[in-house]
Amino acid sequence: MDPVTAWISSVKIPVGRWGKQFFDFLTTNFEFVFDSIANGVTFLLTGMIGILLWFPPLAVVAAIAGLSWYLQKSWKLAIVVAIGLLFIVNQGLWKETVETIVLVVAAAAASMAIGVPVGIWAAHNERAWRVLNPVLDLMQTMPTFVYLIPVLILFGLGVAPGLIVTVIFAAPAPIRLTYLGITSVPRPMIEAGEAFGATKRQLLWKVELPAALPTIMAGLTQCIMLCLSMVVIAALIGANGLGKPVVRALNTVNIPLGLEAGLAIVVLAIILDRISRVKMGGVK
């Protein structure tokens, strides 16, 4: 090692030690807060999973197929959804699929609940966007496994940290696309609303959001796909679902189990993608 490199290495900035001290402070002083959040989230998600598993699988399959028909008005899609879910039932992965659906829907809902208001706020506050943009870059480029360390320290193992790490991973997408949609609204359209005496709130609800809706819907679809891509990562920290058989197959080199779970995730991704496109207004 050359002298310059050795000197630079000798004065290492203790980022890791500072981070440990910060998380030690949080766990020492606010452990009850994180435990309460984890217990509350676990109670809600396990309750939802229990309710869905209480019904016969065929009844849930019929309900989801009916929902897809109601939203899309396409009997072909309803048949495809039913066939896909029946394939999952046939593979013996129904319980894991229900756990994954609950986790993905809850994480996507939380991500959108955070992302849309933050995106609107950033679109109307340029200074906030300048601060937020590098934070979103960090969140989107940080390796997903790095998220697991602080989440495990603060929330432990289980479905709650799986939900939280999924929300952290997926939230930047709706924030960025909401910001893009709002800032892309044509200026003449806003000026026309102002000319008719519309308030800022009326402009937001009657001009900006309707015009930005296709972009926001794209954010919803991308958010759901990002949430679904985290199911395997979430399984590593105790969240049940289709990620668990994938991890088990990887550890035991079980090719059949890996293919079955992988195909189930693909089928579920297609179903959620089609339904989510309809939920926000039928954009295809």
Side-chain angles (χ1 to χ4, degrees):
M1 184 181 296
D2 63 90
V4 175
T5 304
W7 177 79
I8 293 175
S9 301
S10 66
V11 289
K12 177 182 176 181
I13 301 173
V15 176
R17 179 159 53 84
W18 292 341
K20 183 179 185 302
Q21 291 173 350
F22 174 69
F23 286 107
D24 287 344
F25 169 79
L26 291 178
T27 53
T28 300
N29 297 279
F30 302 100
E31 183 177 5
F32 70 97
V33 175
F34 297 113
D35 288 344
S36 299
I37 294 173
N39 292 335
V41 171
T42 301
F43 175 78
L44 290 175
L45 294 183
T46 54
M48 294 170 63
I49 292 169
I51 292 172
L52 287 177
L53 291 177
W54 183 81
F55 291 98
L58 293 182
V60 179
V61 169
I64 296 176
L67 177 64
S68 65
W69 175 86
Y70 174 77
L71 294 173
Q72 181 74 0
K73 295 297 186 292
S74 171
W75 60 267
K76 294 181 181 179
L77 176 61
I79 291 176
V80 170
V81 168
I83 292 174
L85 293 176
L86 289 174
F87 168 77
I88 292 174
V89 174
N90 173 262
Q91 297 300 303
L93 295 170
W94 180 247
K95 180 175 181 292
E96 291 83 356
T97 300
V98 169
E99 293 167 342
T100 298
I101 290 174
V102 170
L103 177 62
V104 169
V105 171
S111 298
M112 292 298 292
I114 295 170
V116 173
V118 172
I120 293 172
W121 172 59
H124 291 96
N125 189 326
E126 188 60 32
R127 182 178 298 177
W129 175 247
R130 285 199 297 267
V131 174
L132 193 60
N133 194 31
V135 175
L136 296 177
D137 290 337
L138 176 66
M139 293 174 67
Q140 290 186 302
T141 55
M142 182 78 72
T144 53
F145 283 94
V146 177
Y147 289 130
L148 303 185
I149 301 171
V151 171
L152 276 175
I153 294 172
L154 298 177
F155 299 98
L157 290 169
V159 66
L163 174 70
I164 292 168
V165 75
T166 303
V167 171
I168 294 172
F169 178 71
I175 293 175
R176 285 190 183 279
L177 286 170
T178 300
Y179 170 84
L180 176 63
I182 296 295
T183 55
S184 298
V185 176
R187 185 63 193 171
M189 188 180 295
I190 297 176
E191 291 174 349
E194 291 173 341
F196 282 100
T199 64
K200 289 185 177 181
R201 178 173 293 185
Q202 290 172 330
L203 283 174
L204 174 63
W205 287 100
K206 296 184 178 182
V207 178
E208 293 179 329
L209 284 178
L213 195 58
T215 308
I216 296 174
M217 286 189 292
L220 172 64
T221 302
Q222 187 173 356
C223 180
I224 290 176
M225 294 301 103
L226 289 171
C227 291
L228 193 55
S229 71
M230 284 294 289
V231 295
V232 177
I233 306 298
L236 297 175
I237 54 176
N240 294 323
L242 290 170
K244 268 202 167 180
V246 173
V247 173
R248 192 163 64 247
L250 181 64
N251 291 335
T252 59
V253 197
N254 189 333
I255 296 176
L257 179 61
L259 287 175
E260 292 165 3
L263 284 175
I265 292 173
V266 171
V267 170
L268 188 59
I270 294 172
I271 291 172
L272 291 176
D273 174 69
R274 298 307 178 192
I275 293 179
S276 67
R277 291 186 182 190
V278 177
K279 277 185 177 180
M280 296 296 291
V283 174
K284 300 179 178 61

